[in-house]
Amino acid sequence: MKPIIKEDIVSAFRSLGLTKGAVVMVHTSLSKIGYVCGGAQTVIEALIETVGQEGTIIMPTQSWKNLDPEDGVHWDVEEEYRQIIRDHWPAYDKRLTPTNTMGAVAEMFRLWPGTLRSDHPARSVAAWGKHAEYLTSGHDLSDIFGDASPIGKLYRLKGDVLLIGVGYDKNTSLHLADVRADYPGKHNCVEYSAIMENGKRVWKEYETLYVDGEDFEEIGADFERAETVGKTTLGNAELRLMNQPRLVDFAVDWISRHRR
């Protein structure tokens, strides 16, 4: 396949309807695209060139390995050694802590000049541009994906979601619908993460909504039958651009009617 250059990516974004001044949450699988000349750097530069200085880019930069091993996130460690992880896992540092399975683009984006990162030790986001400070500030431990979270703030900004080579199972905004919808079995859970508190590393307990996203692909398929979603291809990857509030509103209704 012919190498993909920045101009190809910008052209694809513009064909979807992504414009200057857009506020967009981006989920990316670089490997699904194919050979991108310059890799993750080129994708980020294309995003910035497309939305401009008046726009805003936000990406998930989750470090979910900073959760209790009881949750299954450290599957490669025997149960008898779990307490070692609780005692020694490094406290979250938004300048240093790497992402976990968020992809090469998100991992580079968190280090990009001018990018800010939220304070949640396991479910952080990073943002660049006009609304970056607003989106990343005040990310409460117990409000991971709710109305006061970065996802809820994106909703208030009437932002968009851009999927690059990934499906709706990676579409974090659907978790806001989890929070807003009423459905049988909805419940909270307790999580733990290593954080710095008063200058000291602590293993912090916090309560949050339990979500798993197992029906997100089904929600996405029904959403695309009901609403307009911009689509194009870039190399081997399918790109989708959608309005986030419309997606969330649709998903709230879908979850309320279908989850049992």
Short mmCIF file of all heavy atoms in Angstrom, two decimals, residues 137-192:
data_model
loop_
_atom_site.label_atom_id
_atom_site.label_comp_id
_atom_site.label_asym_id
_atom_site.label_seq_id
_atom_site.Cartn_x
_atom_site.Cartn_y
_atom_site.Cartn_z
N SER A 137 -9.71 19.73 33.86
CA SER A 137 -9.68 20.14 35.27
C SER A 137 -10.77 19.42 36.07
O SER A 137 -11.83 19.07 35.56
CB SER A 137 -9.87 21.65 35.38
OG SER A 137 -11.14 22.04 34.88
N GLY A 138 -10.49 19.21 37.35
CA GLY A 138 -11.49 18.69 38.27
C GLY A 138 -12.02 17.31 37.97
O GLY A 138 -13.20 17.04 38.19
N HIS A 139 -11.17 16.42 37.48
CA HIS A 139 -11.62 15.06 37.15
C HIS A 139 -11.67 14.24 38.44
O HIS A 139 -10.69 13.63 38.86
CB HIS A 139 -10.67 14.43 36.13
CG HIS A 139 -11.23 13.22 35.46
ND1 HIS A 139 -10.57 12.57 34.44
CD2 HIS A 139 -12.38 12.53 35.63
CE1 HIS A 139 -11.29 11.54 34.03
NE2 HIS A 139 -12.39 11.49 34.76
N ASP A 140 -12.84 14.19 39.04
CA ASP A 140 -13.03 13.59 40.36
C ASP A 140 -12.84 12.08 40.31
O ASP A 140 -13.23 11.42 39.34
CB ASP A 140 -14.43 13.94 40.87
CG ASP A 140 -14.64 13.48 42.30
OD1 ASP A 140 -14.15 14.16 43.21
OD2 ASP A 140 -15.29 12.43 42.49
N LEU A 141 -12.29 11.52 41.38
CA LEU A 141 -12.06 10.09 41.46
C LEU A 141 -13.32 9.28 41.22
O LEU A 141 -13.30 8.25 40.53
CB LEU A 141 -11.49 9.73 42.84
CG LEU A 141 -9.99 9.88 43.06
CD1 LEU A 141 -9.66 9.67 44.53
CD2 LEU A 141 -9.20 8.92 42.19
N SER A 142 -14.44 9.73 41.80
CA SER A 142 -15.68 8.96 41.72
C SER A 142 -16.57 9.34 40.55
O SER A 142 -17.59 8.69 40.34
CB SER A 142 -16.46 9.12 43.03
OG SER A 142 -15.76 8.51 44.10
N ASP A 143 -16.20 10.36 39.81
CA ASP A 143 -16.99 10.76 38.64
C ASP A 143 -16.14 10.55 37.40
O ASP A 143 -15.69 11.49 36.75
CB ASP A 143 -17.43 12.22 38.77
CG ASP A 143 -18.46 12.61 37.70
OD1 ASP A 143 -18.95 11.70 37.00
OD2 ASP A 143 -18.76 13.80 37.57
N ILE A 144 -15.96 9.28 37.07
CA ILE A 144 -15.04 8.94 35.97
C ILE A 144 -15.60 9.39 34.62
O ILE A 144 -14.90 10.00 33.81
CB ILE A 144 -14.79 7.42 35.96
CG1 ILE A 144 -14.11 7.00 37.25
CG2 ILE A 144 -13.93 7.03 34.76
CD1 ILE A 144 -13.90 5.51 37.38
N PHE A 145 -16.87 9.07 34.37
CA PHE A 145 -17.48 9.33 33.07
C PHE A 145 -18.79 10.11 33.17
O PHE A 145 -19.58 10.12 32.23
CB PHE A 145 -17.77 8.00 32.35
CG PHE A 145 -16.57 7.13 32.14
CD1 PHE A 145 -16.52 5.84 32.66
CD2 PHE A 145 -15.47 7.58 31.42
CE1 PHE A 145 -15.42 5.01 32.46
CE2 PHE A 145 -14.37 6.77 31.22
CZ PHE A 145 -14.33 5.48 31.74
N GLY A 146 -19.05 10.76 34.30
CA GLY A 146 -20.33 11.42 34.52
C GLY A 146 -20.39 12.85 34.01
O GLY A 146 -19.54 13.31 33.25
N ASP A 147 -21.38 13.58 34.48
CA ASP A 147 -21.66 14.91 33.96
C ASP A 147 -20.56 15.92 34.26
O ASP A 147 -20.36 16.86 33.50
CB ASP A 147 -23.00 15.41 34.50
CG ASP A 147 -24.17 14.68 33.87
OD1 ASP A 147 -24.29 14.71 32.63
OD2 ASP A 147 -24.97 14.07 34.60
N ALA A 148 -19.86 15.75 35.37
CA ALA A 148 -18.78 16.68 35.71
C ALA A 148 -17.42 16.21 35.20
O ALA A 148 -16.42 16.90 35.37
CB ALA A 148 -18.72 16.88 37.23
N SER A 149 -17.40 15.04 34.56
CA SER A 149 -16.16 14.48 34.01
C SER A 149 -15.81 15.15 32.68
O SER A 149 -16.61 15.88 32.11
CB SER A 149 -16.32 12.98 33.80
OG SER A 149 -17.13 12.72 32.66
N PRO A 150 -14.62 14.87 32.14
CA PRO A 150 -14.29 15.40 30.81
C PRO A 150 -15.31 14.99 29.74
O PRO A 150 -15.59 15.78 28.83
CB PRO A 150 -12.92 14.77 30.53
CG PRO A 150 -12.31 14.61 31.88
CD PRO A 150 -13.45 14.22 32.78
N ILE A 151 -15.90 13.78 29.85
CA ILE A 151 -16.89 13.34 28.88
C ILE A 151 -18.16 14.18 28.98
O ILE A 151 -18.76 14.55 27.97
CB ILE A 151 -17.21 11.85 29.07
CG1 ILE A 151 -15.93 11.01 29.08
CG2 ILE A 151 -18.16 11.35 27.98
CD1 ILE A 151 -15.10 11.16 27.84
N GLY A 152 -18.57 14.47 30.22
CA GLY A 152 -19.73 15.33 30.42
C GLY A 152 -19.49 16.75 29.94
O GLY A 152 -20.39 17.41 29.40
N LYS A 153 -18.28 17.23 30.11
CA LYS A 153 -17.94 18.58 29.65
C LYS A 153 -17.92 18.64 28.12
O LYS A 153 -18.33 19.64 27.53
CB LYS A 153 -16.59 19.00 30.21
CG LYS A 153 -16.61 19.23 31.72
CD LYS A 153 -15.22 19.57 32.24
CE LYS A 153 -15.23 19.80 33.74
NZ LYS A 153 -13.87 20.11 34.26
N LEU A 154 -17.45 17.57 27.49
CA LEU A 154 -17.49 17.51 26.02
C LEU A 154 -18.92 17.60 25.52
O LEU A 154 -19.20 18.24 24.51
CB LEU A 154 -16.83 16.21 25.55
CG LEU A 154 -16.75 15.99 24.03
CD1 LEU A 154 -15.84 17.02 23.37
CD2 LEU A 154 -16.27 14.57 23.72
N TYR A 155 -19.83 16.96 26.23
CA TYR A 155 -21.26 17.03 25.88
C TYR A 155 -21.74 18.48 25.93
O TYR A 155 -22.45 18.94 25.02
CB TYR A 155 -22.05 16.16 26.86
CG TYR A 155 -23.54 16.08 26.58
CD1 TYR A 155 -24.07 15.01 25.86
CD2 TYR A 155 -24.41 17.07 27.02
CE1 TYR A 155 -25.43 14.92 25.61
CE2 TYR A 155 -25.77 16.99 26.78
CZ TYR A 155 -26.27 15.91 26.06
OH TYR A 155 -27.62 15.84 25.81
N ARG A 156 -21.37 19.20 26.99
CA ARG A 156 -21.81 20.60 27.12
C ARG A 156 -21.21 21.49 26.03
O ARG A 156 -21.81 22.51 25.65
CB ARG A 156 -21.46 21.13 28.50
CG ARG A 156 -22.31 20.51 29.60
CD ARG A 156 -22.25 21.32 30.89
NE ARG A 156 -20.98 21.23 31.56
CZ ARG A 156 -20.62 20.22 32.35
NH1 ARG A 156 -21.45 19.20 32.53
NH2 ARG A 156 -19.46 20.22 32.96
N LEU A 157 -20.05 21.11 25.53
CA LEU A 157 -19.42 21.86 24.43
C LEU A 157 -19.96 21.47 23.07
O LEU A 157 -19.55 22.02 22.05
CB LEU A 157 -17.90 21.64 24.45
CG LEU A 157 -17.12 22.27 25.61
CD1 LEU A 157 -15.67 21.80 25.59
CD2 LEU A 157 -17.19 23.79 25.56
N LYS A 158 -20.91 20.50 23.06
CA LYS A 158 -21.50 20.02 21.80
C LYS A 158 -20.42 19.50 20.85
O LYS A 158 -20.41 19.78 19.64
CB LYS A 158 -22.34 21.10 21.12
CG LYS A 158 -23.51 21.58 21.96
CD LYS A 158 -24.30 22.67 21.25
CE LYS A 158 -25.56 23.06 22.03
NZ LYS A 158 -25.27 23.62 23.38
N GLY A 159 -19.49 18.72 21.42
CA GLY A 159 -18.35 18.22 20.66
C GLY A 159 -18.68 17.03 19.78
O GLY A 159 -19.82 16.56 19.71
N ASP A 160 -17.65 16.54 19.13
CA ASP A 160 -17.76 15.39 18.23
C ASP A 160 -16.89 14.25 18.73
O ASP A 160 -16.02 14.43 19.59
CB ASP A 160 -17.30 15.76 16.82
CG ASP A 160 -18.23 16.77 16.15
OD1 ASP A 160 -19.45 16.63 16.30
OD2 ASP A 160 -17.71 17.70 15.49
N VAL A 161 -17.13 13.07 18.17
CA VAL A 161 -16.28 11.90 18.41
C VAL A 161 -15.75 11.42 17.07
O VAL A 161 -16.51 11.28 16.11
CB VAL A 161 -17.06 10.76 19.10
CG1 VAL A 161 -16.19 9.51 19.19
CG2 VAL A 161 -17.54 11.18 20.48
N LEU A 162 -14.46 11.17 17.00
CA LEU A 162 -13.82 10.65 15.80
C LEU A 162 -13.22 9.29 16.11
O LEU A 162 -12.36 9.16 17.00
CB LEU A 162 -12.72 11.61 15.33
CG LEU A 162 -11.85 11.17 14.15
CD1 LEU A 162 -12.68 10.92 12.90
CD2 LEU A 162 -10.75 12.21 13.88
N LEU A 163 -13.69 8.27 15.40
CA LEU A 163 -13.15 6.93 15.54
C LEU A 163 -12.26 6.64 14.33
O LEU A 163 -12.72 6.72 13.19
CB LEU A 163 -14.27 5.89 15.62
CG LEU A 163 -15.33 6.09 16.70
CD1 LEU A 163 -16.37 4.98 16.62
CD2 LEU A 163 -14.70 6.12 18.09
N ILE A 164 -11.01 6.29 14.58
CA ILE A 164 -10.06 5.99 13.51
C ILE A 164 -9.61 4.55 13.64
O ILE A 164 -8.77 4.21 14.48
CB ILE A 164 -8.83 6.94 13.56
CG1 ILE A 164 -9.27 8.40 13.51
CG2 ILE A 164 -7.86 6.61 12.43
CD1 ILE A 164 -8.12 9.39 13.66
N GLY A 165 -10.22 3.67 12.87
CA GLY A 165 -9.83 2.27 12.89
C GLY A 165 -10.26 1.50 14.12
O GLY A 165 -9.75 0.41 14.38
N VAL A 166 -11.19 2.06 14.90
CA VAL A 166 -11.69 1.37 16.09
C VAL A 166 -13.22 1.38 16.07
O VAL A 166 -13.84 2.18 15.35
CB VAL A 166 -11.19 2.02 17.41
CG1 VAL A 166 -9.67 1.99 17.47
CG2 VAL A 166 -11.70 3.45 17.55
N GLY A 167 -13.82 0.51 16.87
CA GLY A 167 -15.27 0.40 16.92
C GLY A 167 -15.86 1.13 18.11
O GLY A 167 -15.17 1.80 18.88
N TYR A 168 -17.15 0.95 18.29
CA TYR A 168 -17.87 1.61 19.37
C TYR A 168 -17.50 1.05 20.73
O TYR A 168 -17.77 1.70 21.76
CB TYR A 168 -19.38 1.51 19.14
CG TYR A 168 -19.88 2.48 18.09
CD1 TYR A 168 -19.87 2.14 16.75
CD2 TYR A 168 -20.36 3.73 18.45
CE1 TYR A 168 -20.31 3.02 15.78
CE2 TYR A 168 -20.82 4.62 17.49
CZ TYR A 168 -20.79 4.26 16.16
OH TYR A 168 -21.24 5.14 15.20
N ASP A 169 -16.88 -0.11 20.78
CA ASP A 169 -16.42 -0.64 22.06
C ASP A 169 -15.31 0.23 22.65
O ASP A 169 -15.04 0.16 23.85
CB ASP A 169 -15.94 -2.08 21.91
CG ASP A 169 -14.78 -2.22 20.94
OD1 ASP A 169 -14.78 -1.53 19.90
OD2 ASP A 169 -13.89 -3.06 21.20
N LYS A 170 -14.69 1.08 21.83
CA LYS A 170 -13.67 2.01 22.30
C LYS A 170 -14.22 3.43 22.46
O LYS A 170 -13.46 4.36 22.78
CB LYS A 170 -12.50 2.06 21.31
CG LYS A 170 -11.88 0.72 20.99
CD LYS A 170 -11.29 0.06 22.20
CE LYS A 170 -10.56 -1.23 21.80
NZ LYS A 170 -10.40 -2.16 22.91
N ASN A 171 -15.50 3.60 22.26
CA ASN A 171 -16.11 4.94 22.26
C ASN A 171 -16.46 5.34 23.70
O ASN A 171 -17.55 5.06 24.19
CB ASN A 171 -17.35 4.94 21.37
CG ASN A 171 -17.78 6.34 21.00
OD1 ASN A 171 -17.58 7.28 21.75
ND2 ASN A 171 -18.41 6.47 19.84
N THR A 172 -15.54 6.01 24.36
CA THR A 172 -15.67 6.34 25.78
C THR A 172 -16.92 7.14 26.10
O THR A 172 -17.48 7.04 27.19
CB THR A 172 -14.42 7.11 26.25
OG1 THR A 172 -13.25 6.39 25.88
CG2 THR A 172 -14.42 7.31 27.75
N SER A 173 -17.38 7.94 25.15
CA SER A 173 -18.54 8.79 25.40
C SER A 173 -19.79 8.00 25.75
O SER A 173 -20.71 8.51 26.40
CB SER A 173 -18.82 9.69 24.19
OG SER A 173 -17.80 10.66 24.06
N LEU A 174 -19.86 6.74 25.33
CA LEU A 174 -21.02 5.92 25.66
C LEU A 174 -21.12 5.66 27.16
O LEU A 174 -22.21 5.33 27.67
CB LEU A 174 -20.98 4.61 24.89
CG LEU A 174 -21.27 4.73 23.38
CD1 LEU A 174 -21.01 3.40 22.69
CD2 LEU A 174 -22.71 5.19 23.14
N HIS A 175 -20.03 5.80 27.88
CA HIS A 175 -20.09 5.64 29.33
C HIS A 175 -20.90 6.76 30.00
O HIS A 175 -21.43 6.56 31.10
CB HIS A 175 -18.69 5.57 29.92
CG HIS A 175 -17.99 4.27 29.66
ND1 HIS A 175 -18.54 3.06 30.01
CD2 HIS A 175 -16.79 4.00 29.09
CE1 HIS A 175 -17.71 2.08 29.68
NE2 HIS A 175 -16.64 2.62 29.11
N LEU A 176 -20.95 7.93 29.37
CA LEU A 176 -21.80 8.99 29.90
C LEU A 176 -23.26 8.57 29.86
O LEU A 176 -24.04 8.86 30.76
CB LEU A 176 -21.59 10.29 29.12
CG LEU A 176 -22.47 11.49 29.52
CD1 LEU A 176 -22.29 11.84 30.99
CD2 LEU A 176 -22.15 12.70 28.64
N ALA A 177 -23.63 7.84 28.80
CA ALA A 177 -24.99 7.29 28.72
C ALA A 177 -25.22 6.27 29.82
O ALA A 177 -26.32 6.18 30.38
CB ALA A 177 -25.22 6.68 27.35
N ASP A 178 -24.20 5.45 30.15
CA ASP A 178 -24.29 4.53 31.28
C ASP A 178 -24.69 5.26 32.55
O ASP A 178 -25.53 4.80 33.33
CB ASP A 178 -22.94 3.85 31.53
CG ASP A 178 -22.70 2.63 30.68
OD1 ASP A 178 -23.66 1.86 30.46
OD2 ASP A 178 -21.57 2.44 30.23
N VAL A 179 -24.05 6.40 32.77
CA VAL A 179 -24.31 7.18 33.98
C VAL A 179 -25.73 7.73 33.99
O VAL A 179 -26.42 7.70 35.02
CB VAL A 179 -23.28 8.33 34.11
CG1 VAL A 179 -23.63 9.24 35.29
CG2 VAL A 179 -21.87 7.78 34.25
N ARG A 180 -26.20 8.22 32.86
CA ARG A 180 -27.49 8.91 32.80
C ARG A 180 -28.69 7.98 32.70
O ARG A 180 -29.79 8.34 33.12
CB ARG A 180 -27.50 9.87 31.59
CG ARG A 180 -26.52 11.02 31.74
CD ARG A 180 -26.61 11.96 30.54
NE ARG A 180 -25.79 13.16 30.74
CZ ARG A 180 -25.72 14.16 29.87
NH1 ARG A 180 -26.42 14.09 28.73
NH2 ARG A 180 -24.97 15.21 30.12
N ALA A 181 -28.51 6.79 32.15
CA ALA A 181 -29.63 5.89 31.91
C ALA A 181 -30.04 5.14 33.17
O ALA A 181 -29.22 4.91 34.07
CB ALA A 181 -29.28 4.90 30.80
N ASP A 182 -31.31 4.77 33.22
CA ASP A 182 -31.81 3.88 34.27
C ASP A 182 -31.99 2.49 33.68
O ASP A 182 -32.61 2.34 32.62
CB ASP A 182 -33.15 4.39 34.81
CG ASP A 182 -33.00 5.68 35.60
OD1 ASP A 182 -32.01 5.79 36.35
OD2 ASP A 182 -33.87 6.57 35.45
N TYR A 183 -31.46 1.48 34.36
CA TYR A 183 -31.60 0.11 33.87
C TYR A 183 -31.43 -0.87 35.03
O TYR A 183 -30.77 -0.55 36.03
CB TYR A 183 -30.59 -0.19 32.76
CG TYR A 183 -29.14 0.08 33.12
CD1 TYR A 183 -28.32 -0.92 33.65
CD2 TYR A 183 -28.58 1.34 32.91
CE1 TYR A 183 -27.01 -0.68 33.97
CE2 TYR A 183 -27.25 1.59 33.23
CZ TYR A 183 -26.47 0.58 33.76
OH TYR A 183 -25.16 0.84 34.08
N PRO A 184 -32.02 -2.04 34.94
CA PRO A 184 -31.92 -3.04 36.01
C PRO A 184 -30.47 -3.44 36.25
O PRO A 184 -29.70 -3.62 35.31
CB PRO A 184 -32.73 -4.22 35.48
CG PRO A 184 -33.65 -3.63 34.46
CD PRO A 184 -32.90 -2.49 33.83
N GLY A 185 -30.12 -3.57 37.51
CA GLY A 185 -28.78 -4.02 37.85
C GLY A 185 -27.74 -2.92 37.92
O GLY A 185 -26.58 -3.18 38.22
N LYS A 186 -28.13 -1.69 37.65
CA LYS A 186 -27.17 -0.58 37.73
C LYS A 186 -26.68 -0.44 39.16
O LYS A 186 -27.48 -0.39 40.10
CB LYS A 186 -27.85 0.71 37.26
CG LYS A 186 -26.92 1.92 37.20
CD LYS A 186 -27.67 3.13 36.63
CE LYS A 186 -26.76 4.33 36.50
NZ LYS A 186 -27.47 5.50 35.91
N HIS A 187 -25.35 -0.39 39.33
CA HIS A 187 -24.82 -0.32 40.69
C HIS A 187 -23.42 0.27 40.68
O HIS A 187 -22.74 0.31 39.64
CB HIS A 187 -24.79 -1.71 41.33
CG HIS A 187 -23.84 -2.65 40.66
ND1 HIS A 187 -24.12 -3.31 39.48
CD2 HIS A 187 -22.58 -3.07 41.02
CE1 HIS A 187 -23.10 -4.09 39.14
NE2 HIS A 187 -22.16 -3.95 40.05
N ASN A 188 -23.00 0.70 41.83
CA ASN A 188 -21.65 1.22 42.01
C ASN A 188 -20.70 0.10 42.43
O ASN A 188 -21.12 -0.99 42.85
CB ASN A 188 -21.63 2.31 43.07
CG ASN A 188 -22.21 3.62 42.55
OD1 ASN A 188 -22.57 3.73 41.38
ND2 ASN A 188 -22.32 4.60 43.43
N CYS A 189 -19.42 0.37 42.29
CA CYS A 189 -18.40 -0.55 42.76
C CYS A 189 -17.29 0.26 43.43
O CYS A 189 -17.23 1.48 43.30
CB CYS A 189 -17.83 -1.38 41.60
SG CYS A 189 -16.95 -0.40 40.36
N VAL A 190 -16.44 -0.43 44.17
CA VAL A 190 -15.31 0.22 44.82
C VAL A 190 -14.05 -0.08 44.03
O VAL A 190 -13.79 -1.23 43.66
CB VAL A 190 -15.16 -0.27 46.28
CG1 VAL A 190 -13.89 0.30 46.91
CG2 VAL A 190 -16.38 0.14 47.10
N GLU A 191 -13.28 0.95 43.75
CA GLU A 191 -11.99 0.78 43.08
C GLU A 191 -10.89 1.36 43.96
O GLU A 191 -11.15 2.12 44.91
CB GLU A 191 -12.01 1.46 41.70
CG GLU A 191 -12.93 0.77 40.71
CD GLU A 191 -12.81 1.31 39.30
OE1 GLU A 191 -12.19 2.38 39.11
OE2 GLU A 191 -13.32 0.64 38.38
N TYR A 192 -9.66 1.02 43.61
CA TYR A 192 -8.49 1.49 44.35
C TYR A 192 -7.42 1.90 43.34
O TYR A 192 -7.25 1.25 42.32
CB TYR A 192 -7.92 0.40 45.26
CG TYR A 192 -8.87 -0.14 46.29
CD1 TYR A 192 -9.78 -1.14 45.98
CD2 TYR A 192 -8.84 0.35 47.61
CE1 TYR A 192 -10.65 -1.65 46.93
CE2 TYR A 192 -9.70 -0.16 48.57
CZ TYR A 192 -10.60 -1.16 48.22
OH TYR A 192 -11.47 -1.66 49.17
#
